[in-house]
Amino acid sequence: MADELTPENPETPENPEESEKPIKQRKNGLYPGVSDELAESMKSGWADTELHGLEPVEQAGHTARRRSALSARFPGERLVVPAGNLKTRSNDTEYPFRASVEYAYLTGNQTEDGVLVLEPTSDGHDATIYLLPRSDRENGEFWLSGQGELWVGRRHSLGEAEQLYGIPASDVRELAGKLTEATGPVRVVRGYDAGIETALRDKVTAERDEELRVFLSEARLIKDEFEIGELQKAVDSTVRGFEDVVKVLDKAEATSERYIEGTFFLRARVEGNDIGYGSICAAGAHACTLHWVRNDGPVRSGDLLLLDAGVETHTLYTADVTRTLPIDGTYTEIQKKIYDAVYDAQEAGIAAVKPGAGYRDFHDAAQQVLAERLVEWGLLEGPVERVLELGLQRRWTLHGTGHMLGMDVHDCAAARTEHYVNGTLEPGVVLTVEPGLYFQADDLTVPEEYRGIGVRIEDDILVTADGNRNLSDGLPRRSDEVEAWMAALKG
């Protein structure tokens, strides 16, 4: 990584005058300073690269409709939705930036430091997207700052942003000052931009801001046509990522779970923006750790691999799919017994996903099957109704059977309980159905042959007008179909 000229990335100035301040040199940089001659040279001789005639981003019409709904919900109030800032990974390196879901959902833009502001008018709101303009060539920021254009790449001009997102654009460096002087009721989405929150600290309340966050979370419960298309893209890439993994299981056996993680990550970066969450590449007894993301264990023939992973699209919609695969291609008798029980539970759960059903119905249906099997196997004393009432099955099936899916892997998390887990399914809802059974390696309450086996099967399900559609049905689920699929991929 090249040695930048600055000791740290300068903070975004709150007004244009601050952009004229000299850019500090790196403490241990190899150049002691910048000569006047070099500074002058860097100001000139650059071609005009302004882009014209840009087409709006694909979701521009959808984001406009979403802003209209937001405007109607909070008339007469200023609404502030930040994208967030870069986060330091260590010293002067940052994590890859991912815009806040609320901001990206309302704008389609994904750049750091952006802020959407809806200013109240007599008949609604006027939206403005506040962004950093092109990096300044006059003061040298474009080549001296660690976030300058020659270091991290060109960003869109404000004029280009207006064409892309269909929203008037202004310089974000002026926004904090404007918000400090603003009057009237204001709401802000908290947790993303400390500078913006500081500018509004005497104008907002936690309760009112939470109402804004909840509204934006519930707005995503029903996916529109664009969102469903993006989720299908994410799932399709994820299917290909699972196929990639099966083809290299021999290499994973020679190395570790990291080979599986890296293989899937390659597909996610080539076809999408990133992975939607930390990939769970759990071989052997690691499959009993529900969120095993260390992925540093061995991969052994005869064991199972629980792969829970999802590709995130360039528009930030993620898949979330799990398959539990026999590493050598064939389930043992006890592995198949447990796997088939989870498959039957998932079948019951998926069948319960339909418009008008309660959100909890698919969970209850899956848990019923799992409880029945645990009683049948002698691991729990019946009747099944008693087991379910006391939640005794949860020793081996700890988690819920699914969740909403979208721009967050656990989407719509701030929605009110009565609209989420106590709500009713409608067409356009997308959720996961993912029952599992996990027998810990040190669990002395089960026969030894069960210990160290963990199985989860997860698919992404769209509620349709007449039932549901399994977006991830490109991956086989039934145990015999899984074995045949793996054999074909391995040649």
Side-chain angles (χ1 to χ4, degrees), residues 157-476:
S157 70
L158 299 181
E160 292 167 353
E162 291 183 354
Q163 297 175 65
L164 289 169
Y165 307 110
I167 312 171
S170 291
D171 191 336
V172 72
R173 295 173 297 183
E174 303 171 4
L175 180 58
K178 290 181 178 180
L179 293 177
T180 301
E181 299 170 1
T183 59
V186 184
R187 297 179 193 254
V188 63
V189 178
R190 299 190 181 201
Y192 298 115
D193 193 318
I196 294 299
E197 289 180 36
T198 297
L200 293 170
R201 63 177 174 265
D202 59 345
K203 308 177 194 303
V204 296
T205 67
E207 181 180 5
R208 286 162 51 77
D209 292 347
E210 179 64 9
E211 289 176 351
L212 172 59
R213 188 172 80 103
V214 167
F215 174 82
L216 290 173
S217 194
E218 293 180 358
R220 303 198 308 276
L221 286 169
I222 307 297
K223 269 56 181 181
D224 59 35
E225 180 183 351
F226 172 81
E227 293 179 289
I228 293 169
E230 290 300 294
L231 285 166
Q232 187 66 68
K233 286 181 189 176
V235 168
D236 291 346
S237 289
T238 298
V239 168
R240 290 187 283 273
F242 274 65
E243 293 171 347
D244 295 340
V245 167
V246 171
K247 293 175 182 177
V248 300
L249 282 177
D250 57 334
K251 294 183 174 62
E253 288 189 61
T255 52
S256 75
E257 295 163 339
R258 292 281 169 92
Y259 203 97
I260 295 166
E261 179 182 4
T263 298
F264 187 84
F265 181 69
L266 176 61
R267 176 67 66 174
R269 287 292 280 168
V270 167
E271 294 193 1
N273 175 60
D274 206 330
I275 50 174
Y277 54 95
S279 298
I280 298 168
C281 308
H286 287 163
C288 299
T289 301
L290 302 183
H291 286 171
W292 176 262
V293 293
R294 298 179 200 171
N295 300 334
D296 58 0
V299 178
R300 299 188 179 99
S301 182
D303 284 346
L304 296 176
L305 166 67
L306 190 157
L307 179 58
D308 183 337
V311 172
E312 177 185 80
T313 66
H314 294 291
T315 55
L316 307 185
Y317 289 84
T318 185
D320 182 7
V321 178
T322 306
R323 290 293 184 269
T324 306
L325 311 172
I327 292 169
D328 61 9
T330 304
Y331 295 102
T332 66
E333 183 177 348
I334 185 64
Q335 289 169 353
K336 185 177 185 300
K337 172 183 173 179
I338 297 169
Y339 184 95
D340 288 349
V342 174
Y343 171 80
D344 290 344
Q346 195 201 26
E347 282 282 275
I350 292 174
V353 175
K354 53 191 174 184
Y359 175 84
R360 291 179 179 271
D361 289 356
F362 76 93
H363 169 70
D364 293 341
Q367 292 294 300
Q368 175 79 26
V369 173
L370 294 179
E372 289 172 354
R373 297 302 169 86
L374 292 168
V375 170
E376 177 186 322
W377 298 341
L379 303 183
L380 286 173
E381 182 180 347
V384 171
E385 291 72 22
R386 169 184 170 272
V387 169
L388 292 169
E389 181 183 356
L390 299 176
L392 300 180
Q393 82 284 2
R394 294 186 62 194
R395 181 182 177 99
W396 302 291
T397 175
L398 183 64
H399 57 80
T401 309
H403 52 80
M404 296 294 184
L405 185 67
M407 298 180 83
D408 280 324
V409 66
H410 297 145
D411 208 30
C412 313
R416 289 168 291 180
T417 301
E418 59 266 33
H419 291 281
Y420 194 151
V421 295
N422 290 339
T424 300
L425 296 180
E426 300 179 49
V429 166
V430 179
L431 51 81
T432 68
V433 178
E434 49 174 314
L437 283 173
Y438 313 90
F439 299 99
Q440 304 296 329
D442 59 351
D443 188 347
L444 302 182
T445 69
V446 299
E448 187 174 357
E449 63 177 350
Y450 286 76
R451 298 174 198 165
I453 295 178
V455 174
R456 180 163 65 250
I457 311 171
E458 177 181 20
D459 285 271
D460 302 341
I461 310 297
L462 166 68
V463 181
T464 62
D466 56 357
N468 70 64
R469 187 171 93 230
N470 186 344
L471 301 179
S472 46
D473 64 359
L475 283 176

Side-chain angles (χ1 to χ4, degrees), residues 83-150:
N85 315 124
L86 289 171
K87 290 182 171 59
T88 299
R89 181 178 184 272
S90 179
N91 187 27
D92 58 354
T93 60
E94 294 84 23
Y95 288 104
F97 179 74
R98 189 187 190 277
S100 75
V101 164
E102 294 87 351
Y103 175 85
Y105 179 75
L106 293 168
T107 66
N109 177 258
Q110 297 180 34
T111 55
E112 65 269 19
D113 301 327
V115 184
L116 173 69
V117 178
L118 271 61
E119 294 281 352
T121 65
S122 59
D123 59 351
H125 288 80
D126 287 336
T128 303
I129 187 171
Y130 287 86
L131 302 166
L132 286 172
R134 293 281 305 278
S135 52
D136 196 331
R137 294 180 186 267
E138 187 62 28
N139 73 352
E141 182 246 345
F142 84 108
W143 69 286
L144 290 172
S145 167
Q147 292 301 315
E149 190 171 295
L150 295 193

